[in-house]
């Protein structure tokens, strides 16, 4: 629970999020239309705080998110999956106890496998340069769907750890935090990364 012991903050935050739910049951950046990435973030937040997201004309936020699956098995809503959106949708679906969907016989796990670079890392989309951020997100998604022992996860973790500096840091504080969470999900040693964040 993100706001344990402070129900006022929790209520205000959840009221704000729910006020931004679109007529399609999804969520987006304020002032813009709904998208799968923001919808996934809201779903995870509400589940963590045990708050139910209302349906809109019989459609749920999960229904909206599922409608953004691409033919490659990934998610975006823009014609081609991307690792960023796909990873967070996978985590949100796992958190809501929803099975991984498939489109044209391609699942989100299949999409991540196809998007992985030969060096083991992941870029934003297939063929793009490996990034600490998107590799960490993909690792979190693979962990969420119990793929910790897959070759994809092993190669991604090797690449991610190869990017860690001697002082435990990654390229910036955000990627260090994200990488630390991913490493913890795989029971890797996070001592140096945590010290970097504290320092």
């Amino acid at each position: 629970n993100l706001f344990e012991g402070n129900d006022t903050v929790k209520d205000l935050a959840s009221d704000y999020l729910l006020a931004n739910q679109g007529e399609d049951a999804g969520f987006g950046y304020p002032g813009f239309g709904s998208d799968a990435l923001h919808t996934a973030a809201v779903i995870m937040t509400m589940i963590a705080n045990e708050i139910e997201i209302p349906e809109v004309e019989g459609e749920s936020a999960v229904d909206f998110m599922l409608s953004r699956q691409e033919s490659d098995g990934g998610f975006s809503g823009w014609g081609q999956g991307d690792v960023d959106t796909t990873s967070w949708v996978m985590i949100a679906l796992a958190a809501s106890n929803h099975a991984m969907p498939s489109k044209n016989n391609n699942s989100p796990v299949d999409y991540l496998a196809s998007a992985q670079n030969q060096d083991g890392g992941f870029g934003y989309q297939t063929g793009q340069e490996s990034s600490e951020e998107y590799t960490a997100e993909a690792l979190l998604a693979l962990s969420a769907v119990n793929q910790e022992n897959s070759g994809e996860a092993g190669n991604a973790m090797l690449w991610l750890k190869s990017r860690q500096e001697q002082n435990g840091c990654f390229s910036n504080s955000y990627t260090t935090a994200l990488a630390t969470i991913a490493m913890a999900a795989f029971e890797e040693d996070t001592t140096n990364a945590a010290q970097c964040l504290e320092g």
Side-chain angles (χ1 to χ4, degrees):
N1 189 315
L2 302 182
F3 300 107
E4 188 172 359
N6 196 334
D7 288 341
T8 301
V9 173
K10 175 178 174 179
D11 291 344
L12 288 171
S14 61
D15 288 349
Y16 172 79
L17 289 176
L18 293 176
N20 283 283
Q21 186 174 22
E23 294 180 1
D24 53 13
F27 294 85
Y29 192 82
F32 293 84
S34 299
D35 63 72
L37 181 60
H38 285 88
T39 302
V42 171
I43 289 171
M44 288 185 289
T45 300
M46 295 307 201
I47 288 173
N49 286 280
E50 300 178 346
I51 298 169
E52 188 172 340
I53 301 173
E55 291 189 350
V56 178
E57 296 184 1
E59 295 293 309
S60 70
V62 170
D63 291 331
F64 169 80
M65 201 167 56
L66 291 172
S67 75
R68 295 306 188 257
Q69 188 172 25
E70 305 293 351
S71 59
D72 57 16
F75 285 84
S76 78
W78 310 109
Q80 178 185 2
D82 67 71
V83 172
D84 185 27
T85 306
T86 301
S87 296
W88 292 116
V89 167
M90 288 172 66
I91 296 166
L93 288 172
S96 57
N97 296 314
H98 198 289
M100 291 299 111
S102 124
K103 195 164 187 179
N104 294 340
N105 293 318
N106 294 315
S107 72
V109 176
D110 295 328
Y111 170 75
L112 287 183
S114 72
Q116 189 169 26
N117 291 325
Q118 288 189 342
D119 62 12
F122 291 84
Y124 178 72
Q125 285 183 315
T126 304
Q128 294 187 1
E129 183 179 357
S130 294
S131 149
E132 294 170 12
E133 176 182 355
Y134 303 126
T135 302
E137 290 177 356
L139 281 165
L140 288 170
L142 291 169
S143 174
V145 297
N146 303 312
Q147 294 290 312
E148 292 96 340
N149 296 321
S150 67
E152 289 82 9
N155 291 333
M157 184 58 73
L158 285 173
W159 183 86
L160 185 65
K161 289 168 67 176
S162 76
R163 305 289 296 176
Q164 190 173 20
E165 299 169 9
Q166 281 192 333
N167 62 1
C169 300
F170 288 82
S171 58
N172 57 54
S173 58
Y174 174 72
T175 55
T176 300
L178 201 57
T180 303
I181 297 167
M183 291 167 67
F186 283 79
E187 300 182 352
E188 296 283 341
D189 184 3
T190 61
T191 305
N192 289 343
Q195 288 174 345
C196 168
L197 290 171
E198 291 169 359

